[in-house]
Amino acid sequence: MNPILERQMLQNRRCFLQGAARGVSTAALASLLIKSGHANEGPGALASHFAPTAKRVIYLFQSGGPSHLELLDYKPKLKDLHGTELPDSIRQGQRLTGMTSGQSSFPVIAPKFGFRQAGEAGTWISDLLPHTGSVIDDLCLVRSMHTEAINHDPAITFLQTGSQQPGRPSLGAWASYGLGSEAEDLPAFIVLISHGSGKDANQGLLDRLWGSGFLPSSHQGVKLRGSGDPVLYLSDPPGIDRKLRKKMLDGIAKLNEQELARSGDPEIATRIKQYEMSFRMQGSVPELTDLSSETAATFDLYGPEARQPGTFAANCLLARRLAERGVRFIQLYHRGWDQHGSLPTNIPRQAHDIDQPQAALISDLKQRGLLEDTLIVWGGEFGRTVYGQGGLQDDYGRDHHGRCFSMWLAGGGIKPGLVHGETDDFGYNIVRDPVHVHDLNATILHCLGFDHERLTYRSQGRDFRLTDVEGHVVRLLLSAFS
């Protein structure tokens, strides 16, 4: 959107609000705007470019770079190649990280874990993911993802914002900007973080990964904490009841509206809305995070860790509850996949963290009729090398690898039971149907009803978009494409 047009629409909104009756009528109008999805900046959510297949996204981000070779990309010939030197013809002069660039040898290491065929199509999946294998026919497995980034921060930033350089809006912020909100009492974009059971669960995650960049700040993600109050200052201090709190906020709103009328700064309008949202969240968030209404069968479905706040399992259950309540973009981060050493020791723990809960999330959404309009995305910022970091070791590690890695999608208009793309026998290079980071993001926006080339925002004299100047929709992944 052009900020000049946004300012004009803001003026129109201000004139209306100044002339409208305060109190019940204004509250009723706000309620109608939220329910219709038109509670965003200016006149509200943008008009979609075509009919969406997904109303919301649940993004299960695996921070640190899970190894596709141990999990999703079966390479049976690696058993025979184990211990041999990775051929130069396969490496092709690839730029390496500083952690392995000085190695004199690059021995191929075959995964220690087996694979089995699952589902009607007999899709190969790791023995580490038996529960995920049970829902494999609902997944669209992409084995040909690739990225230019080779280190964590630029790679995560690239996948989440469309740029390796910090400062751009996150995918969730773009979704909030385009879709508006269906939820009356919750933000459109919510973030949940869990710490993996593997040794390396200290991967940094900065708030800018779910930031709004140059978009209005109302579109940034709101992080729910796994311990203590889910949101800071959720509870009123002693001596402050709800009636007094509302009176205080009404007074602050009047002062902010006066300043808005004087300056026309859209961030003041955002501040007014965020104060109102914070007040409503004091009632909605405790109800959201109180899982006492969930049945024993539901907890059995998600696994015993679903009862432990802050775990991946508990966050998957919360993701379903958020989807039911109209939250547009639900971002889960699960840390601990950066396995440069002791991968055979740590990856079973990481896989155990996620396997049952993510399969349960799919089954739960499906049985409630929510999977068909909920897009689930799973994956990390890159994959791992076929050669061992530090040489040939029994408890081996793998370095970062951006030339190919695996992700999966489900629901929301994605073709189920599909395996898209292929890598070579080493799982090192793509040989068929590559999917770039920009292609993935273009496809996600397409499912939400937006043309990635037309969903733009003007900042610093030019129009920006999530996919920069690249990307195309991977139509082969869409259920409507035949």
Side-chain angles (χ1 to χ4, degrees):
M1 180 181 290
N2 190 316
I4 296 176
L5 296 177
E6 186 177 0
R7 173 68 180 272
Q8 291 173 346
M9 289 185 286
L10 181 63
Q11 295 284 353
N12 293 337
R13 175 181 180 273
R14 185 169 70 245
C15 290
F16 169 76
L17 290 175
Q18 288 175 338
R22 294 285 192 248
V24 176
S25 60
T26 303
L29 173 65
S31 177
L32 289 172
L33 287 172
I34 292 170
K35 287 181 180 179
S36 64
H38 289 275
N40 271 354
E41 301 302 310
L46 305 182
S48 58
H49 300 137
F50 37 78
T53 56
K55 292 181 178 180
R56 67 196 70 85
V57 174
I58 300 176
Y59 204 132
L60 309 177
F61 192 85
Q62 309 304 309
S63 179
S67 174
H68 55 294
L69 297 169
E70 268 75 18
L71 297 176
L72 297 171
D73 197 358
Y74 180 45
K75 295 299 169 188
K77 293 186 179 180
L78 291 183
K79 290 183 179 179
D80 296 329
L81 295 167
H82 181 76
T84 65
E85 190 71 11
L86 180 66
D88 290 338
S89 60
I90 300 298
R91 280 186 57 199
Q92 299 176 2
Q94 181 194 16
R95 182 167 63 107
L96 306 178
T97 73
M99 290 167 283
T100 55
S101 60
Q103 286 188 196
S104 58
S105 177
F106 296 90
V108 171
I109 294 184
K112 281 192 172 183
F113 309 99
F115 276 68
R116 64 185 180 89
Q117 290 181 284
E120 292 184 4
T123 303
W124 289 96
I125 189 167
S126 174
D127 289 340
L128 296 173
L129 300 172
H131 292 279
T132 306
S134 70
V135 295
I136 196 72
D137 288 334
D138 293 308
L139 309 186
C140 174
L141 177 55
V142 181
R143 287 178 172 156
S144 53
M145 287 296 305
H146 65 102
T147 179
E148 293 83 36
I150 63 170
N151 287 310
H152 294 291
D153 188 76
I156 297 175
T157 304
F158 192 22
L159 201 63
Q160 299 286 274
T161 73
S163 172
Q164 294 188 49
Q165 301 300 318
R168 299 285 183 88
S170 60
L171 173 58
W174 279 111
S176 170
Y177 170 66
L179 293 172
S181 178
E182 282 189 324
E184 293 186 32
D185 302 326
L186 292 166
F189 178 17
I190 286 183
V191 176
L192 302 162
I193 297 176
S194 54
H195 300 268
S197 299
K199 179 181 178 181
D200 300 312
N202 57 353
Q203 183 69 42
L205 291 171
L206 301 176
D207 286 7
R208 60 175 168 77
L209 293 174
W210 48 91
S212 57
F214 45 68
L215 292 178
S217 57
S218 58
H219 300 300
Q220 68 185 9
V222 174
K223 182 172 66 174
L224 298 187
R225 304 191 308 162
S227 60
D229 278 348
V231 180
L232 291 174
Y233 312 114
L234 186 67
S235 303
D236 288 325
I240 304 294
D241 59 19
R242 295 290 286 165
K243 185 176 180 180
L244 179 57
R245 170 64 73 189
K246 184 64 169 66
K247 185 176 180 180
M248 293 169 58
L249 291 177
D250 287 344
I252 294 172
K254 289 179 181 179
L255 294 173
N256 280 328
E257 285 176 1
Q258 291 175 10
E259 182 61 19
L260 177 62
R262 186 193 68 80
S263 68
D265 184 353
E267 281 300 307
I268 298 176
T270 292
R271 183 183 303 167
I272 294 170
K273 290 192 300 181
Q274 295 302 79
Y275 275 131
E276 295 169 353
M277 175 59 74
S278 297
F279 179 76
R280 295 195 296 270
M281 287 174 65
Q282 286 185 304
S284 64
V285 171
E287 184 276 332
L288 165 73
T289 55
D290 180 4
L291 304 183
S292 60
S293 62
E294 298 291 342
T295 65
T298 297
F299 284 114
D300 289 342
L301 181 66
Y302 283 85
E305 292 183 350
R307 297 181 183 272
Q308 302 172 26
T311 63
F312 184 78
N315 288 349
C316 281
L317 180 51
L318 281 175
R320 190 220 76 206
R321 292 170 65 87
L322 288 165
E324 289 177 315
R325 287 158 176 75
V327 175
R328 294 290 198 175
F329 202 96
I330 305 153
Q331 178 88 54
L332 275 63
Y333 289 94
H334 188 64
R335 302 161 70 179
W337 294 97
D338 190 24
Q339 291 153 350
H340 292 276
S342 300
L343 184 149
T345 300
N346 288 301
I347 202 168
R349 300 170 183 167
Q350 290 289 124
H352 178 267
D353 289 340
I354 66 167
D355 181 38
Q356 183 173 351
Q358 66 192 21
L361 177 61
I362 292 170
S363 299
D364 202 4
L365 290 171
K366 190 174 183 179
Q367 70 183 5
R368 294 169 189 267
L370 287 169
L371 184 60
E372 62 185 25
D373 59 8
T374 302
L375 174 60
I376 303 178
V377 183
W378 183 99
E381 63 268 36
F382 41 52
R384 315 300 295 196
T385 57
V386 69
Y387 61 80
Q389 180 170 337
L392 190 62
Q393 300 178 24
D394 185 56
D395 204 20
Y396 57 89
R398 300 191 190 277
D399 200 4
H400 309 164
H401 189 65
R403 275 194 183 179
C404 64
F405 58 105
S406 298
M407 298 183 69
W408 58 256
L409 303 92
I414 293 296
K415 186 179 297 184
L418 175 70
V419 176
H420 180 86
E422 183 182 353
T423 59
D424 61 22
D425 290 337
F426 293 87
Y428 200 87
N429 296 296
I430 296 169
V431 297
R432 180 173 58 85
D433 296 332
V435 178
H436 188 263
V437 168
H438 288 313
D439 302 331
L440 174 69
N441 286 338
T443 305
I444 292 171
L445 290 180
H446 180 90
C447 291
L448 294 173
F450 293 104
D451 181 341
H452 71 105
E453 294 183 350
R454 295 165 59 195
L455 183 63
T456 62
Y457 192 90
R458 181 167 288 270
S459 177
Q460 298 181 336
R462 67 160 241 182
D463 290 336
F464 285 87
R465 69 186 208 219
L466 173 64
T467 53
D468 198 37
V469 295
E470 301 179 63
H472 68 276
V473 176
V474 187
R475 299 192 178 274
L476 291 173
L477 304 185
L478 306 178
S479 57
F481 185 83
S482 58

